[in-house]
Amino acid sequence: MELLVATAVGVLTSAGVYLLLRARTFPVVLGLTLLSYATNVYLFAMGRLVVNAPPIIDARAVSHTDPLPQALVLTAIVISFGMTAVIVVMALRSWFASGDDHVDALPRADAKEGR
Amino acid sequence: MNHWIAMPILLPVLVAALLVLVARRDLVIARVLSVASCVALVGLALALFVSATEDGTHMYALGDWPAPFGIVLVLDRLAALMLLLTSVLALLVLVYALDGSDREGPHFHALWQFQLMGINGAFLTGDFFNLFVFFEVLLIASYGLLVHGGGRERLKAGVQYVVVNLLGSTLFLLAVGLIYGVTGTLNMADLAARVPEVAADDRALLHTGALLLLLVFALKAALVPVHFWLPGAYAKAPAVVAALFAIMTKVGAYAIIRLYTLAFGADAGASAWIAAPWLLPAAMLTLLVGMTGVLGARALGQLAAFSVLGSMGTLLMAVGLFTEQALGAGLYYLVHSTLVAAALFLIAEQLGRRRGRSGDRLEAAPPVAQGSLLGGLYFAAAIGACGMPPLSGFIGKLLILDSARESVSAVWIWGLILGTSLLAIIGFARAGSLLFWKSTAPAYAGGATAKLDPRASGTEPAALLPLAVIGVLLAGLVMLTVFAGPVSEWLDVTAAQVHDPGLYVDAVLGASGANE
């Protein structure tokens, strides 16, 4: 299971970083989403991977799993979900306002103003 | 413990919710509520400032959960100073915004209050994950404020700013996860107690996490090489927002001071001062890049943004020395540079409004209304930003130079601070003479300058309020200069307190009982 989780985090991160380095907003947003998935899985694994154990200390349970990373992941999921919505809206507004979806520069405006 | 420690966070968030619900259409109610909230925040911050000065470090356990398990707020002298600076700056800039900047887009006042909640929370929290949450709160509000008023370039800069900061948040989570995975705690005081005991095998992981966190804070503080977002975002943001953002980079600096003296400071055993070898060179480069940018800026807003970058370099150089004396000097410079940056952004906006199509670009244009008054304000702010006598920038730089005397890199620090001061003087002098002296001859010279451009009618009585705010900000510099003695004594005690992590740890973990 460790191998599976580690591979998933690695693949998600590398795909996310690759997409983040694209020049247009849509792949960048996708890249950020993948990175946040990778972070969530990774955070989850930081409490150590335990199977079939409750996240509470209970006399009847033989072992327990760390509940804190689960709470962290929950918070992180909510925040990254909201952030994705924010950046999609801003990217759309920017696209409507400027007519292109480049992240890094304003090639046409720059050419016009001779900067 | 007093419950007032939670109020700098609760008050803005309640007012913000109220603003969204009640005052979304009515600007007058929104203004009254927002200004009232900011005035109350100044009062609160003053009270907390006095209490932190007199009684030392306070801990407030949210929900009354005992310390390492629940989330705590911690008020010490450093946090109290930052709260006071934030609330005063926010009130002044908000008063400036009443002149019309708050009308350019919806929900300005609500976003302003959310922003204050995030900043105050980041200064008060004693817990890493909570720090992440407050960073997100202040960032979400800043995304909204940055694009306030809209416009193509602003949106473009906004998207870049959001992408960079989302990446920063991802790294923050990774770093927090690493540190939690190694030490099993998120409480800063608890972390300070556990770092020396980390097993040798795990230390590399811990250091990776800690330095990743340094990268994240450096991103917020706009340190080279992760500074690229700042000049674009600050120069394109509305002036009032840029002026408030003057405190945002200081949030990053505050987090660096807090974490790397508390958990990775003198008591951290094999992890002592791990930030020092990275922070000092990065800060030097930041100073150089910032002041070179000042020299090459094409507009006054851009120049102000680059001077913020330069001041962050100077400040973090002092922090990066990690001595009590240097930290005290750095804190003095922090207060000074926040006020001067805000004043510069506001002056740039006033000038931009009066120059019609030229805006605040550094080019010759017809003379502006109230030119000599604005020029005088600019002159004072430029003296402050360059660090020339008689204003407080000079004293701040002098204190930093003095504290660097013992350092092995003293030659570099002295050379860079003095050399870049020259760059800044040239940059500011060039900008000022272009803006205020090199006017194109007006076609109908001789009359009152106010009539030159109908859009730039700056002599209306309403325009007095913004100028008064800039005046008050600059008066703050004068006060900082006049009372340099008591202020720097207070800051030296603060620096000593920061450099004694035991006080902080005892305040949080020692009082592991409940809120009285």
Side-chain angles (χ1 to χ4, degrees):
Chain A
M1 190 169 66
E2 278 81 0
L3 185 68
L4 191 68
V5 171
T7 317
V9 172
V11 169
L12 281 172
T13 308
S14 47
V17 170
Y18 175 79
L19 285 174
L20 199 63
L21 296 174
R22 305 282 88 193
R24 288 168 185 276
T25 44
F26 185 62
V28 168
V29 173
L30 277 188
L32 283 171
T33 316
L34 286 184
L35 269 183
S36 74
Y37 289 163
T39 314
N40 293 341
V41 178
Y42 165 88
L43 269 185
F44 200 74
M46 275 301 117
R48 307 296 182 266
L49 296 169
V50 183
V51 180
N52 284 338
I56 43 172
I57 299 174
D58 189 283
R60 286 163 293 174
V62 279
S63 68
H64 66 277
T65 179
D66 191 347
L68 195 77
Q70 306 189 8
L72 302 190
V73 169
L74 201 61
T75 317
I77 289 175
V78 174
I79 290 179
S80 68
F81 195 70
M83 286 304 194
T84 311
V86 168
I87 192 169
V88 165
V89 170
M90 283 186 61
L92 269 176
R93 283 291 301 274
S94 169
W95 185 44
F96 287 139
S98 66
D100 74 58
D101 60 348
H102 278 276
V103 180
D104 49 351
L106 291 167
R108 274 181 267 164
D110 281 6
K112 246 187 281 177
E113 291 174 21
R115 284 187 187 175
Chain B
M1 282 305 137
N2 64 38
H3 292 276
W4 292 103
I5 297 179
M7 281 308 280
I9 302 170
L10 291 179
L11 179 70
V13 75
L14 290 177
V15 172
L18 204 63
L19 281 169
V20 174
L21 290 174
V22 180
R24 55 191 311 171
R25 301 263 176 258
D26 194 330
L27 194 64
V28 177
I29 298 179
R31 283 175 170 178
V32 169
L33 274 175
S34 198
V35 171
S37 161
C38 278
V39 171
L41 272 179
V42 172
L44 260 175
L46 263 176
L48 292 179
F49 185 83
V50 171
S51 122
T53 306
E54 286 172 357
D55 312 335
T57 310
H58 294 280
M59 187 269 287
Y60 181 76
L62 290 171
D64 216 359
W65 289 89
F69 306 109
I71 292 172
V72 293
L73 301 179
V74 184
L75 176 81
D76 63 351
R77 295 171 74 108
L78 179 60
L81 170 75
M82 300 305 288
L83 283 182
L84 188 61
L85 184 62
T86 308
S87 57
V88 169
L89 182 74
L91 176 63
L92 286 175
V93 181
L94 185 68
V95 170
Y96 179 97
L98 297 186
D99 192 41
S101 312
D102 60 343
R103 241 176 319 190
E104 286 165 13
H107 297 308
F108 175 83
H109 291 288
L111 286 168
W112 192 265
Q113 297 298 325
F114 275 126
Q115 177 83 61
L116 289 181
M117 174 218 176
I119 297 176
N120 288 345
F123 289 144
L124 279 173
T125 184
D127 180 285
F128 276 123
F129 198 76
N130 205 224
L131 182 64
F132 166 75
V133 173
F134 280 122
F135 265 34
E136 291 304 306
V137 172
L138 72 88
L139 285 173
I140 295 173
S142 75
Y143 302 154
L145 284 174
L146 184 66
V147 296
H148 172 73
R152 194 180 58 163
E153 292 206 4
R154 202 168 276 174
L155 277 166
K156 210 66 155 179
V159 171
Q160 291 172 3
Y161 177 76
V162 177
V163 169
V164 167
N165 278 302
L166 283 185
L167 186 64
S169 306
T170 311
L171 288 177
F172 197 153
L173 276 179
L174 289 175
V176 166
L178 256 179
I179 291 177
Y180 177 76
V182 175
T183 62
T185 186
L186 289 170
N187 185 294
M188 292 188 199
D190 199 24
L191 180 73
R194 291 195 193 193
V195 161
E197 293 154 18
V198 168
D201 292 349
D202 287 342
R203 207 161 274 279
L205 275 179
L206 180 69
H207 288 185
T208 312
L211 290 178
L212 209 54
L213 217 48
L214 180 66
L215 183 68
V216 177
F217 296 151
L219 182 77
K220 310 286 178 216
L223 207 59
V224 171
V226 279
H227 65 287
F228 292 101
W229 60 272
L230 186 135
Y234 279 35
K236 301 272 164 46
V240 281
V241 176
L244 180 65
F245 280 12
I247 197 77
M248 292 257 290
T249 44
K250 274 69 179 182
V251 178
Y254 168 84
I256 291 177
I257 298 172
R258 176 63 80 215
L259 178 63
Y260 296 97
T261 55
L262 179 62
F264 298 98
D267 303 338
S271 305
W273 309 122
I274 52 166
W278 302 90
L279 197 54
L280 200 54
M284 289 179 180
L285 280 177
T286 311
L287 176 58
L288 197 61
V289 168
M291 290 313 180
T292 314
V294 166
L295 207 54
R298 290 194 200 88
L300 193 53
Q302 206 180 17
L303 183 137
F306 274 109
S307 81
V308 169
L309 203 59
S311 72
M312 286 314 289
T314 313
L315 164 61
L316 286 170
M317 235 188 241
V319 173
L321 286 169
F322 286 114
T323 63
E324 273 180 39
Q325 197 195 353
L327 185 61
L331 290 177
Y332 185 90
Y333 194 75
L334 184 152
V335 177
H336 155 82
S337 66
T338 307
L339 295 178
V340 89
L344 271 176
F345 280 117
L346 298 184
I347 291 171
E349 208 234 358
Q350 283 298 314
L351 204 60
R353 273 197 211 168
R354 286 164 165 72
R355 279 161 52 102
R357 290 183 53 190
S358 284
D360 65 344
R361 281 202 295 279
L362 300 182
E363 59 188 27
V368 295
Q370 297 167 330
S372 47
L373 176 57
L374 265 180
L377 290 172
Y378 172 81
F379 185 56
I383 286 178
C386 297
M388 299 243 294
L391 285 182
S392 48
F394 174 70
I395 300 176
K397 282 191 177 175
L398 204 62
L399 287 172
I400 293 176
L401 290 180
D402 188 40
S403 68
R405 215 188 284 261
E406 313 269 295
S407 160
V408 280
S409 30
V411 180
W412 286 95
I413 294 173
W414 278 61
L416 266 171
I417 288 186
L418 296 176
T420 52
S421 294
L422 180 65
L423 285 185
I425 292 169
I426 298 173
F428 275 95
R430 173 181 152 267
S433 49
L434 256 175
L435 287 171
F436 296 103
W437 288 344
K438 211 168 186 177
S439 318
T440 51
Y444 30 92
T449 45
K451 288 177 188 145
L452 286 178
D453 188 342
R455 268 180 306 175
S457 51
T459 44
E460 298 162 26
L464 283 177
L465 188 65
L467 291 178
V469 169
I470 299 173
V472 171
L473 281 170
L474 294 175
L477 296 188
V478 175
M479 299 297 277
L480 208 55
T481 316
V482 173
F483 296 105
V487 169
S488 65
E489 264 167 39
W490 192 91
L491 291 174
D492 284 343
V493 179
T494 307
Q497 192 191 48
V498 169
H499 272 269
D500 187 1
L503 293 174
Y504 188 99
V505 175
D506 286 347
V508 176
L509 297 181
S512 53
N515 302 320
E516 284 152 25

